[in-house]
Amino acid sequence: MLTPPGLGEVDGGTINCMCHGSKFDINDGSVKKGPATKALAPAKVDVKGGSVTLG
């Protein structure tokens, strides 16, 4: 699962969680920096005009 709108941001190949500061690899959801201990589950996304939404 990706973070709900406004709770995270993508920077390069990393998803940064604004709630707890964890960082996740955008390709496979693995934890790059805790405190999270579990990877994010895959999610289908749509990219249109520079915006990414859950699809």
Side-chain angles (χ1 to χ4, degrees), residues 12-46:
T14 302
I15 300 169
N16 301 309
C17 178
M18 297 167 88
C19 289
H20 53 67
S22 291
K23 298 181 183 292
F24 303 90
D25 186 284
I26 197 166
N27 296 302
D28 62 10
S30 61
V31 178
K32 294 175 93 173
K33 178 182 177 248
T37 58
K38 294 183 181 179
L40 296 175
K44 183 179 185 239
V45 297
D46 292 314

